[in-house]
Amino acid sequence: EPQARREPCCLELVPYVTQLSEDMVQYLLDGFPRARMMLLSALHEASFSPHYSHLFRAFRLIKQTGLDVDFRMPPGELLQLLISRKMFAEAREWARSSGIVGDTIVFEEVTGMIVDFRQ
């Protein structure tokens, strides 16, 4: 019986604890830029949330490709940037991991090949 009385109390705390953890993660991401990769990697490995796993993939991709953009940019904009830099393999992988249809990538890659062939 005492256990049953405690459960509603715990359920009321869940939104508060969730918001507190989100706020703390944002504070750490904003306040400690040099530790972002480590923090996002740990959150991704712990399956903290799909949102932070997505941010981890974006951050890693941006670092690997040497792009000078914010890792929180919209997925579609990052995809367009990769395509504009002719990073087609990276664009395909990003589209796949972000749930974006990659038809435009193939079109842009083939168009680029035709242009290069004509020159």
Side-chain angles (χ1 to χ4, degrees):
E1 179 113 18
Q3 182 71 21
R5 273 189 254 137
R6 269 190 257 146
E7 281 184 34
C9 172
C10 293
L11 291 175
E12 291 170 17
L13 288 177
V14 170
Y16 173 75
V17 172
T18 302
Q19 186 59 51
L20 184 63
S21 63
E22 289 280 337
D23 292 346
M24 183 51 95
V25 168
Q26 283 306 314
Y27 170 77
L28 292 171
L29 285 174
D30 294 340
F32 301 93
R34 291 196 323 229
R36 282 180 180 154
M37 184 65 166
M38 197 170 20
L39 176 60
L40 289 169
S41 175
L43 293 169
H44 172 70
E45 290 298 316
S47 300
F48 182 73
S49 81
H51 174 71
Y52 290 105
S53 289
H54 168 77
L55 290 180
F56 168 67
R57 288 190 301 273
F59 191 87
R60 183 178 56 192
L61 175 64
I62 289 166
K63 289 296 174 202
Q64 288 172 347
T65 55
L67 297 172
D68 187 22
V69 294
D70 191 295
F71 66 101
R72 291 170 262 216
M73 74 186 305
E77 287 182 26
L78 181 53
L79 179 63
Q80 287 307 311
L81 182 60
L82 291 167
I83 292 170
S84 72
R85 300 278 172 93
K86 299 191 183 319
M87 298 178 175
F88 299 113
E90 293 86 349
R92 276 191 290 280
E93 176 60 29
W94 176 247
R96 187 193 59 72
S97 72
S98 299
I100 300 172
V101 176
D103 295 345
T104 57
I105 302 165
V106 174
F107 176 76
E108 291 292 335
E109 189 171 14
V110 170
T111 302
M113 289 175 174
I114 292 169
V115 169
D116 290 346
F117 180 74
R118 287 181 178 169
Q119 291 177 351

